[in-house]
């Protein structure tokens, strides 16, 4: 008959639980996070919400906080048993949801070793992590931190599961060297909610790549490469990797590394060159061009003065972009000069002064100033020196045979006499005697020189081109045959030369001396 005051009792829609984040937790862990997230639908905001964890027949209850209609946050329970645990939600502390999510408690991951134990800042290096209890999950991560709160770095990279005791991951590029010179590495198998123990690895300062010389070489290999770096302090087992081929590298000085390019098969190709420490850390990265070596067919001229300075032309194949010519006398005397490119088939360079003595020199060319190829021969010879001429004058019509006395003459395809600016072939008689036929020249004085190569010339002597005198009258104009006395004949002519050795030639080709009056 009599009733108390009415109270409100509400019926809520059935809760649907879909999943839990993270889906598993390590047993007996010092948790980095204190909460779990239940994901579902029809969640209600109430102060009496709890999460119920079923563990071996016992119910463990922790407070729950409403986040949204699809998420409720629970405090983590102390669940010491490894295995799966059902998680339900309650709005009144008594009734629990009919649906549940499964929380898996697993053995905590433990790291025992990391290889390599030294990495370079800023380098993406694959490391091998060894230990136990590694789970094969999509949420597997490696965690790198400086170990200093509110400073340094705190970075994560994806891990690749190999087996329950091995995984790999890459060091983040943004990992920098700290004052301690190390990074603490741990792993997480639930997306960063919980972590294993941590192991330190040494973090070295990144090297500063400055240059690599030369940047090209020939397919045969053997090019000595010099890599210059700054801050090169921490390194072991250095290698240079040319594309897929690796070769040992050696330390030349505090900031210089040397390695020799391996052979390369095929046509011209540019490959990537990496300077590696322990075949893990990349200290330098550059490009190297392989190319076919040039071929020298001939050089012109092939002889010149020991003083050098002769511009020679080199003919062959593959001469485009050749940078240097090298001249070698014997096994040790060398000189290198710049090459002037003309085409793929020719170039020019100027002979250097190597020795004061006559010598034969090997001529080679290079595209990089370091590797030289070719087997052409250049002859360093003393310059010809002229002493005298058999006749210092001749007809302006040319055709006079002139003998030239001197020294250092030699027979070459370019041994010539130069009358003024006119070149004529010379006839080599001996190292001290040549002969040349005078060419037609304007009347007057001209220089006469000798060249052995068409480029460099001897000292000069004077040669006069004259008009031959014309006879105007003869007195007497007859003589008596058989007389033992000599008839003196006077000739009146046009201008006579002032040289000694005047003569009269008679019809029988007899030449008699003449005296200028």
């Amino acid at each position: 008959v009599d009733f108390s005051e009415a109270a409100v009792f509400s019926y809520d829609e059935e809760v649907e639980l879909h999943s839990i984040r993270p889906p598993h937790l390590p047993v007996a862990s010092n948790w980095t996070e204190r909460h779990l997230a239940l994901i579902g639908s029809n969640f209600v905001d109430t102060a009496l919400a709890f999460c119920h964890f079923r563990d071996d027949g016992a119910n463990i209850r922790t407070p729950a906080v409403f986040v949204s209609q699809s998420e409720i946050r629970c405090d983590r329970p102390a669940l010491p048993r490894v295995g799966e645990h059902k998680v339900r939600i309650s709005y009144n502390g008594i009734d629990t949801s009919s649906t549940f999510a499964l929380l898996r408690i697993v053995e905590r991951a433990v790291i025992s070793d990391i290889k390599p134990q030294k990495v370079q800042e800023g380098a993406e290096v694959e490391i091998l992590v060894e230990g136990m209890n590694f789970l094969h999950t999509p949420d597997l991560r490696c965690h790198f931190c400086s170990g200093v709160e509110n400073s340094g770095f705190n970075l994560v990279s994806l891990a690749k599961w190999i087996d329950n005791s091995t995984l790999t991951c890459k060091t983040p590029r943004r990992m920098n060297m700290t004052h301690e010179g190390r990074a603490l590495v741990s792993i997480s198998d639930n997306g960063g909610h919980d972590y294993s123990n941590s192991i330190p690895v040494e973090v070295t300062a990144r090297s500063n790549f400055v240059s690599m010389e030369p940047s090209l070489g020939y397919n045969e290999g053997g090019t000595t490469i010099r890599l210059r770096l700054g801050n090169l302090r921490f390194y072991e087992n250095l290698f240079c990797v040319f594309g897929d081929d690796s070769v040992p590298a050696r330390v030349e000085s505090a900031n210089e590394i040397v390695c020799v390019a391996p052979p390369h098969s095929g046509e011209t190709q540019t490959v990537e060159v990496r300077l590696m420490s322990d075949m893990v850390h990349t200290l330098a990265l550059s490009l190297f061009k392989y190319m076919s070596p040039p071929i020298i067919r001939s050089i012109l001229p092939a002889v010149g003065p020991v003083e050098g300075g002769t511009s020679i032309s080199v003919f062959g194949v593959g001469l485009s972009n050749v940078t240097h010519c090298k001249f070698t006398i014997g096994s040790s005397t060398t000189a290198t000069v710049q090459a002037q490119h003309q085409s793929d088939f020719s170039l020019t360079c100027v002979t250097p002064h190597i020795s004061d003595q006559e010598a034969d020199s090997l001529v080679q060319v290079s595209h990089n100033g370091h590797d030289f190829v070719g087997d052409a021969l250049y002859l360093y010879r003393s310059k010809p020196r002229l002493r005298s001429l058999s006749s210092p004058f001749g007809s302006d019509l040319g055709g006079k045979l002139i003998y030239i006395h001197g020294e250092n003459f030699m027979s070459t395809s370019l041994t010539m006499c130069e009358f003024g600016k006119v070149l004529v072939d010379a006839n080599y008689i001996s190292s001290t005697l040549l002969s040349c036929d005078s060419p037609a020249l304007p009347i007057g004085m001209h220089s006469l020189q000798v060249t052995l190569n068409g480029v460099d010339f001897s000292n000069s002597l004077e040669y006069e081109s004259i008009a031959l005198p014309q006879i105007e009258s003869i007195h007497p104009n007859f003589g008596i045959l058989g007389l033992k006395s000599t008839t003196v004949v006077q000739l009146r002519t046009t201008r006579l030369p002032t040289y000694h050795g005047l003569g009269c030639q008679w019809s029988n080709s007899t030449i008699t001396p003449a005296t200028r009056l």
Side-chain angles (χ1 to χ4, degrees):
V1 177
D2 300 311
F3 294 91
S4 65
E5 292 185 8
V8 176
F9 184 86
S10 60
Y11 289 91
D12 296 318
E13 291 186 52
E14 179 66 22
V15 171
E16 291 286 340
L17 293 180
H18 301 151
S19 62
I20 190 169
R21 292 200 309 254
H24 55 267
L25 297 174
V27 66
S29 172
N30 295 321
W31 292 322
T32 56
E33 291 185 7
R34 295 190 57 189
H35 303 288
L36 295 169
L38 282 172
I39 308 301
S41 59
N42 302 327
F43 293 158
V44 177
D45 187 3
T46 173
L48 296 176
F50 291 92
C51 293
H52 285 256
F53 298 85
R54 183 85 172 171
D55 178 45
D56 210 10
N59 285 321
I60 299 175
R61 189 176 71 172
T62 64
V65 177
F66 176 83
V67 178
S68 69
Q69 288 185 342
S70 60
E71 181 178 346
I72 288 227
R73 185 174 298 166
C74 308
D75 284 356
R76 290 191 178 189
L79 296 173
R81 184 177 62 85
V82 172
E84 290 186 338
H85 301 267
K86 293 179 180 180
V87 183
R88 302 177 190 269
I89 189 72
S90 173
Y91 289 147
N92 57 16
I94 299 173
D95 303 312
T96 59
S97 60
S98 60
T99 59
F100 59 87
L102 285 177
L103 175 65
R104 186 181 175 197
I105 302 299
V106 298
E107 294 288 356
R108 184 184 184 218
V110 178
I111 299 177
S112 59
D113 193 17
I114 293 178
K115 299 174 182 177
Q117 295 182 345
K118 181 189 296 183
V119 297
Q120 186 181 36
E121 65 172 341
E124 192 176 63
V125 177
E126 185 173 81
I127 62 174
L128 179 70
V129 182
E130 297 176 328
M132 52 191 261
N133 303 327
F134 296 168
L135 292 184
H136 189 196
T137 75
D139 297 322
L140 199 56
R141 304 282 190 273
C142 285
H143 179 241
F144 301 83
C145 71
S146 60
V148 180
E149 293 186 6
N150 302 320
S151 66
F153 53 86
N154 197 343
L155 304 169
V156 174
S157 70
L158 294 176
K160 180 181 178 182
W161 186 86
I162 298 176
D163 55 43
N164 61 2
S165 62
T166 313
L167 60 82
T168 62
C169 55
K170 292 185 177 180
T171 58
R173 290 186 180 276
R174 294 189 294 118
M175 186 172 70
N176 296 319
M177 188 178 74
T178 63
H179 176 73
E180 290 79 10
R182 67 173 190 172
L184 297 177
V185 183
S186 57
I187 68 168
S188 172
D189 52 24
N190 60 12
H193 295 279
D194 300 279
Y195 291 97
S196 68
N197 64 313
S198 61
I199 285 187
V201 295
E202 185 178 353
V203 180
T204 64
R206 74 187 74 196
S207 60
N208 178 29
F209 175 56
V210 177
S211 64
M212 183 184 81
E213 293 180 352
S215 59
L216 60 85
Y218 301 130
N219 291 336
E220 288 79 358
T223 302
T224 299
I225 308 296
R226 296 183 180 274
L227 298 105
R228 294 178 176 85
L229 303 94
N231 197 32
L232 184 61
R233 295 186 298 171
F234 303 100
Y235 51 83
E236 291 179 355
N237 301 323
L238 291 175
F239 285 86
C240 288
V241 182
F242 291 74
D244 297 327
D245 300 322
S246 62
V247 294
R250 72 174 189 273
V251 179
E252 190 77 359
S253 64
N255 291 305
E256 186 173 89
I257 304 296
V258 173
C259 54
V260 178
H264 170 76
S265 60
E267 300 298 324
T268 298
Q269 182 181 1
T270 298
V271 300
E272 190 175 73
V273 179
R274 290 178 179 270
L275 176 62
M276 306 289 291
S277 175
D278 280 333
M279 293 303 288
V280 174
H281 309 298
T282 299
L283 305 180
L285 175 64
S286 191
L287 296 176
F288 184 80
K289 181 180 180 181
Y290 278 102
M291 62 185 303
S292 298
I295 299 174
I296 297 178
R297 302 291 191 194
S298 63
I299 60 174
L300 190 69
V303 61
V306 294
E307 294 82 2
T310 302
S311 178
I312 66 171
S313 295
V314 180
F315 301 96
V317 179
L319 300 178
S320 291
N321 301 317
V322 163
T323 59
H324 293 82
C325 298
K326 184 170 77 171
F327 294 76
T328 304
I329 297 176
S331 59
S332 59
T333 306
T334 65
T336 302
V337 296
Q338 293 285 333
Q340 300 296 321
H341 171 251
Q342 292 183 342
S343 72
D344 191 53
F345 307 103
S346 68
L347 59 84
T348 61
C349 52
V350 178
T351 61
H353 176 213
I354 301 180
S355 171
D356 293 331
Q357 305 297 320
E358 292 185 345
D360 297 348
S361 172
L362 178 68
V363 181
Q364 298 174 299
V365 295
S366 171
H367 281 85
N368 59 18
H370 298 271
D371 305 309
F372 288 86
V373 295
D375 56 1
L377 195 64
Y378 180 80
L379 309 182
Y380 278 100
R381 295 294 183 265
S382 299
K383 273 188 176 182
R385 183 168 181 80
L386 308 189
R387 300 296 187 186
S388 63
L389 304 178
S390 60
S391 176
F393 65 92
S395 169
D396 61 334
L397 301 178
K400 185 172 184 178
L401 183 63
I402 305 295
Y403 288 94
I404 304 168
H405 300 270
E407 56 189 39
N408 304 326
F409 298 154
M410 62 181 296
S411 178
T412 75
S413 60
L414 294 176
T415 301
M416 294 181 287
C417 297
E418 184 184 57
F419 292 79
K421 299 297 181 182
V422 181
L423 283 169
V424 297
D425 290 334
N427 178 37
Y428 174 81
I429 300 173
S430 71
S431 62
T432 59
L433 184 63
L434 296 176
S435 66
C436 296
D437 289 325
S438 64
L441 295 168
I443 295 173
M445 301 300 296
H446 300 273
S447 64
L448 192 155
Q449 297 174 288
V450 168
T451 178
L452 303 180
N453 59 14
V455 178
D456 304 293
F457 291 86
S458 68
N459 63 312
S460 63
L461 297 177
E462 287 189 341
Y463 176 83
E464 185 177 8
S465 176
I466 63 172
L468 293 178
Q470 302 297 316
I471 299 176
E472 296 178 343
S473 64
I474 181 172
H475 180 78
N477 58 5
F478 64 91
I480 301 174
L481 289 172
L483 290 180
K484 294 182 179 180
S485 60
T486 300
T487 303
V488 177
V489 177
Q490 291 186 349
L491 303 175
R492 183 175 296 278
T493 68
T494 57
R495 180 175 179 271
L496 285 172
T498 58
Y499 301 111
H500 300 289
L502 292 177
C504 296
Q505 183 175 356
W506 305 88
S507 59
N508 62 0
S509 298
T510 301
I511 298 176
T512 58
T515 302
R516 182 187 177 95
L517 299 177

